Amino acid sequence: NAGVMQNPRHLVRRRGQEARLRCSPMKGHSHVYWYRQLPEEGLKFMVYLQKENIIDESGMPKERFSAEFPKEGPSILRIQQVVRGDSAAYFCASSPPSLAGGNEQFFGPGTRLTVL
Amino acid sequence: QQPVQSPQAVILREGEDAVINCSSSKALYSVHWYRQKHGEAPVFLMILLKGGEQKGHDKISASFNEKKQQSSLYLTASQLSYSGTYFCGTDSGGSNYKLTFGKGTLLTVNP
């Protein structure tokens, strides 16, 4: 059973360009979460999605950032007009349908975004 | 509010024990522990739920004190493979998914 897949693993963009990060959850998982990690920092929750639905985007910056999880295909985190402060590692996690008492989240290897 | 982890870093010799603490200023529904090696994905270790429980597998165990709003991770007879950064993720809203992570504890196990 393949784990959570993310691509690209490394992405370099110039200021003002767009960045698209992809995440394919584990087989059988319908919940996807995106986190951002700055150097020497913990992971920060950005958004929680189920198929075709954004459940909680309270951690997403109000501008330039968007996320989707279409019926077919991977989840996409999109950053428009990137700035240097967007440079970070972006991790995707997935979990199976909700169970009472908390779900184990399985993380992908991350995409390291560098904005020049 | 980000949970506070202590210590920030610890260095052990193989076979020694370590305790990593995670404290929150908010009431907690659950605590999740992960280990991350440099450049890799965080790997799930365990979830502890509201109710003050203790869990463990192999030589890694954890406790959750709901009243004190804290959790501790215990690593006994450490192995070289235990090296990495340990993060606690807390759920203080009862969402079952929205985790707030601490800054991590860097554990280095030397031969």
Side-chain angles (χ1 to χ4, degrees), chain A residues 11-31:
Chain A
L11 182 62
V12 179
R13 286 285 177 266
R14 296 191 180 280
R15 279 180 295 171
Q17 292 184 319
E18 179 180 289
R20 279 184 176 240
L21 288 62
R22 293 175 189 77
C23 168
S24 296
M26 284 180 71
K27 190 175 180 181
H29 287 192
S30 53
H31 299 202

Side-chain angles (χ1 to χ4, degrees), chain A residues 9-114:
Chain A
R9 295 291 307 276
H10 300 274
L11 182 62
V12 179
R13 286 285 177 266
R14 296 191 180 280
R15 279 180 295 171
Q17 292 184 319
E18 179 180 289
R20 279 184 176 240
L21 288 62
R22 293 175 189 77
C23 168
S24 296
M26 284 180 71
K27 190 175 180 181
H29 287 192
S30 53
H31 299 202
V32 166
Y33 317 83
W34 284 94
Y35 291 85
R36 177 162 63 178
Q37 186 178 39
L38 295 169
E40 313 302 322
E41 295 283 328
L43 298 140
K44 292 204 185 310
F45 171 84
M46 298 181 75
V47 62
Y48 162 39
L49 310 106
Q50 297 177 18
K51 286 280 185 184
E52 300 184 281
N53 280 309
I54 297 174
I55 307 301
D56 183 345
E57 58 181 346
S58 58
M60 289 275 271
K62 297 284 182 251
E63 296 175 349
R64 302 186 297 108
F65 284 71
S66 62
E68 61 177 12
F69 188 15
K71 189 175 178 182
E72 301 291 337
S75 175
I76 307 278
L77 178 68
R78 183 179 173 209
I79 311 172
Q80 294 178 289
Q81 299 175 319
V82 296
V83 301
R84 288 223 174 101
D86 296 333
S87 295
Y90 292 83
F91 287 92
C92 165
S94 72
S95 68
S98 292
L99 300 170
N103 282 320
E104 177 180 339
Q105 295 182 19
F106 294 83
F107 281 81
T111 293
R112 278 147 187 85
L113 172 67
T114 302

